[in-house]
Amino acid sequence: MKKILNYINGEWCPSSTGKFTPVLNPANGQVLAEVTQSTQEDVDRAVQAAKNAQKEWRLVPAPERADILYKVGYLLKERKEKLAQILTSEMGKVIEEGRGEVQEAIDMAFYVAGEGRRLFGDTVPSELRNKFAMSVRVPIGIAGLITPWNFPIAIASWKSLPALVTGNAVVWKPATETPMVAEEFVKIYEDAGLPKGLLNLVNGSGSVVGNAMVDHPDIDLISFTGSNEVGKEINGRAGALLKRTSLEMGGKNAITVLEDADLDLAVEGILWGAFGTAGQRCTATSRVIVHKDVKEELERKLLASIEGLKMGDGLDESVKVGPVINRSSLERIDEYVKIGQEEGAKLLTGGRIVSENGLDKGNFYAPTIFTDVTPEMRIAKEEIFGPVVSIIAVTSLEEAIEVNNSVEFGLSSAIYSADVNRIFQAMRDLDTGLVYVNAGTSGAEIHLPFGGTKGTGNGHRDSGVASLDVYTEWKSIYVDYSGKLQRAQIDNN
Ligand code: NAP
Ligand code: MG
């Protein structure tokens, strides 16, 4: 049986407990590997290694650090297919999406490597003569990264690459469900020549390893993507230590379809957004807010198109909807469907665990559409994280925006319309970190900031230039070459 180890100070090693847990393929329940279960002791060793390595790394010129990241990019490219296959076996998304996700990491590597020659600060005129003023970014120290299973390499790339190019060292805890792709990503850093100690992988549970990282006095910041529940807990503990946290959490994303929209285009966007990655994207389309005049036609078209979505093992190229991550997830989704029915929503299609056609060993849930949903229902407000979408009818753009913004989350939203005036109004008023026009709720590109408003985050962003803010402090520097005491705000006024 393949064993997945920790990577600490440039060495692959089992945890101090010697315990392992199985890694399952969600499409068929097959055991793929076993992963080591670490404790605080392993976190301590990883932090010590990171601390030592960072002392030298912060002095390496950023373009030189970036040279290693370019190599990471080339290796990711070379191993793209292998990584995609592992990712799909381990977490279930269909292979085409697995490839897309690896591509996101490739794009991120080259983009962030380019930042090695920028990392811009400001140079500004001083208000005094013979004085020079500028700001520079400096590393914070040790970044603790805690990542989820649904984008196991893309999110790890969003966090580790900017952390390293800016001169930090990293301690990374991947999700328990996806250690295999994490191992492969770390091997790529190793093969690219990243000096030992700069990237440490510690496998284990969130409650043990995650907590030990959050509480560790020498981990200077925590960058977390995952559920709200865990994010809030992390923020509380880290806040007490005045530790920086960057939190990306849940969503309850909606596509708004106005009466003048191209309905066929909207149908494609809805199916891709609601059922891609079996609805387990943080940007998944979980609500459709539709003008009442086109509601029935949209429903008809959705039902006709949903027929074509083949379910099965994501490694089969013809499959469009893979399994959900585990049994408890499957049960939670089914529970929400029951709640929806009790609340009086009308089930248009789906609403059941699928076990026929050899799918009984995996965690398959039928693509599900509810209609006649009202904004107060739990299925319209809470994140389900599965292939379930709720249709809500409205009578105007204003009402659509109100419904869109009525949830506690603010990650992504989309509007389908042909009216430029109403589109611009929506672009202004939709309260989410991502807004799509005539496109579904997923599809972020790595060179813009990724993240959300309200309950989705705490104001930080992954990817884009904005991600550099998570991993750096600003230092403002004043150089006085006048040879005399010059007092700002006093001697020049
Ligand atoms: P999760 O349970 O919050 O887990 C995320 C990570 O946190 C995992 O590595 C987990 O470890 C760890 N963790 C769990 N408990 C912890 C604790 N007490 N202290 C420290 N770390 C802890 O989330 P999930 O169920 O894996 O992922 C689904 C959620 O992620 C959804 O809510 C989704 O919306 C969100 N998500 C958000 C974004 C975004 O950018 N906004 C992107 C993707 C996903 P274990 O695996 O060992 O439990
Ligand atoms: Mg969890």
Side-chain angles (χ1 to χ4, degrees):
M1 180 58 59
K2 178 179 168 53
K3 291 214 182 321
I4 298 167
L5 305 177
N6 288 337
Y7 184 73
I8 296 176
N9 205 25
E11 304 283 340
W12 293 96
C13 48
S15 77
S16 51
T17 63
K19 284 198 189 119
F20 285 82
T21 54
V23 183
L24 304 181
N25 181 334
N28 55 26
Q30 186 201 337
V31 180
L32 298 167
E34 287 184 328
V35 59
T36 195
Q37 289 299 299
S38 310
T39 62
Q40 168 150 15
E41 211 179 308
D42 302 296
V43 173
D44 287 345
R45 285 182 49 233
V47 172
Q48 198 49 53
K51 238 174 126 169
N52 293 340
Q54 201 260 339
K55 281 188 195 131
E56 166 56 24
W57 185 242
R58 77 179 184 90
L59 302 176
V60 173
E64 207 179 307
R65 293 181 207 137
D67 278 345
I68 296 172
L69 301 196
Y70 280 115
K71 288 188 195 129
V72 167
Y74 286 117
L75 288 171
L76 282 165
K77 222 171 153 156
E78 222 174 271
R79 300 179 196 174
K80 177 174 172 179
E81 186 57 30
K82 181 185 174 194
L83 288 161
Q85 300 268 340
I86 293 174
L87 203 157
T88 291
S89 345
E90 191 175 44
M91 66 68 63
K93 70 174 62 170
V94 300
I95 188 70
E96 189 184 19
E97 290 180 52
R99 291 181 190 121
E101 182 180 340
V102 178
Q103 187 58 45
E104 199 166 336
I106 296 168
D107 295 341
M108 189 70 191
F110 290 118
Y111 174 72
V112 174
E115 276 307 313
R117 287 186 184 271
R118 287 187 290 266
L119 293 183
F120 295 138
D122 296 320
T123 46
V124 295
S126 167
E127 63 190 47
L128 292 155
R129 283 168 192 252
N130 298 324
K131 195 170 172 186
F132 191 89
M134 64 184 162
S135 63
V136 294
R137 287 185 187 274
V138 293
I140 297 183
I142 302 180
L145 314 183
I146 302 177
T147 54
W149 48 263
N150 66 339
F151 280 89
I153 194 163
I155 292 176
S157 80
W158 289 355
K159 297 182 191 300
S160 60
L161 292 157
L164 289 166
V165 84
T166 50
N168 300 279
V170 168
V171 176
W172 174 27
K173 190 208 98 59
T176 299
E177 282 94 345
T178 50
M180 292 174 72
V181 77
E183 176 191 45
E184 293 298 326
F185 193 26
V186 172
K187 276 189 192 157
I188 283 177
Y189 273 111
E190 188 181 28
D191 293 346
L194 187 74
K196 63 177 194 169
L198 287 175
L199 175 63
N200 302 280
L201 176 74
V202 186
N203 285 293
S205 74
S207 54
V208 177
V209 174
N211 277 339
M213 287 169 63
V214 173
D215 293 342
H216 202 296
D218 291 331
I219 291 187
D220 302 284
L221 77 105
I222 296 285
S223 178
F224 166 84
T225 297
S227 61
N228 272 62
E229 193 191 353
V230 174
K232 277 182 195 158
E233 153 93 17
I234 289 178
N235 211 33
R237 298 169 85 117
L241 299 168
L242 293 183
K243 194 174 281 200
R244 180 178 300 187
T245 57
S246 167
L247 309 170
E248 286 298 344
M249 300 169 289
K252 189 69 189 175
N253 318 294
I255 287 181
T256 289
V257 183
L258 296 184
E259 68 277 26
D260 61 358
D262 176 338
L263 293 187
D264 293 315
L265 190 66
V267 163
E268 281 186 295
I270 293 165
L271 295 182
W272 168 243
F275 306 128
T277 317
Q280 304 166 107
R281 297 182 188 127
C282 46
T283 57
T285 306
S286 163
R287 299 178 295 158
V288 172
I289 303 169
V290 61
H291 193 282
K292 64 171 183 23
D293 291 354
V294 292
K295 174 174 172 275
E296 269 170 39
E297 195 183 347
L298 183 74
E299 287 171 1
R300 235 185 357 262
K301 284 177 184 284
L302 277 170
L303 283 176
S305 306
I306 210 171
E307 298 289 313
L309 294 180
K310 182 175 165 190
M311 283 200 99
D313 186 333
L315 288 176
D316 173 347
E317 304 270 354
S318 66
V319 162
K320 295 288 180 229
V321 183
V324 299
I325 189 71
N326 53 34
R327 211 67 213 173
S328 68
S329 210
L330 196 65
E331 282 155 16
R332 195 198 58 243
I333 294 162
D334 202 43
E335 191 56 35
Y336 266 111
V337 168
K338 294 204 177 83
I339 291 170
Q341 285 169 311
E342 279 159 22
E343 285 176 315
K346 182 173 153 208
L347 190 60
L348 270 188
T349 181
R352 64 188 184 89
I353 293 172
V354 176
S355 51
E356 64 271 21
N357 302 327
L359 299 185
D360 57 315
K361 296 209 169 55
N363 314 314
F364 291 94
Y365 205 86
T368 300
I369 304 179
F370 273 115
T371 191
D372 299 340
V373 175
T374 60
E376 302 74 38
M377 292 183 186
R378 282 183 65 192
I379 56 165
K381 290 198 295 202
E382 298 173 20
E383 185 177 49
I384 298 175
F385 225 56
V388 180
V389 66
S390 294
I391 299 178
I392 303 168
V394 293
T395 54
S396 66
L397 170 66
E398 287 70 21
E399 188 186 350
I401 288 170
E402 204 178 301
V403 171
N404 182 86
N405 294 350
S406 67
V407 293
E408 72 171 296
F409 304 106
L411 185 53
S412 184
S413 58
I415 177 152
Y416 283 80
S417 170
D419 176 348
V420 70
N421 292 355
R422 294 200 294 171
I423 286 171
F424 267 80
Q425 191 183 331
M427 282 157 52
R428 182 192 63 201
D429 295 338
L430 290 167
D431 186 3
T432 51
L434 308 166
V435 172
Y436 292 88
V437 176
N438 290 327
T441 52
S442 295
E445 301 178 27
I446 59 90
H447 42 308
L448 283 181
F450 182 94
T453 59
K454 302 191 287 185
T456 293
N458 67 337
H460 289 285
R461 292 292 185 269
D462 277 320
S463 88
V465 177
S467 67
L468 300 176
D469 295 333
V470 174
Y471 304 98
T472 53
E473 292 280 10
W474 282 114
K475 186 179 278 186
S476 300
I477 302 178
Y478 303 91
V479 183
D480 192 318
Y481 55 98
S482 70
K484 58 184 185 203
L485 173 68
Q486 297 197 87
R487 296 171 303 171
Q489 297 95 33
I490 297 171
D491 291 335
N492 50 336
N493 279 300

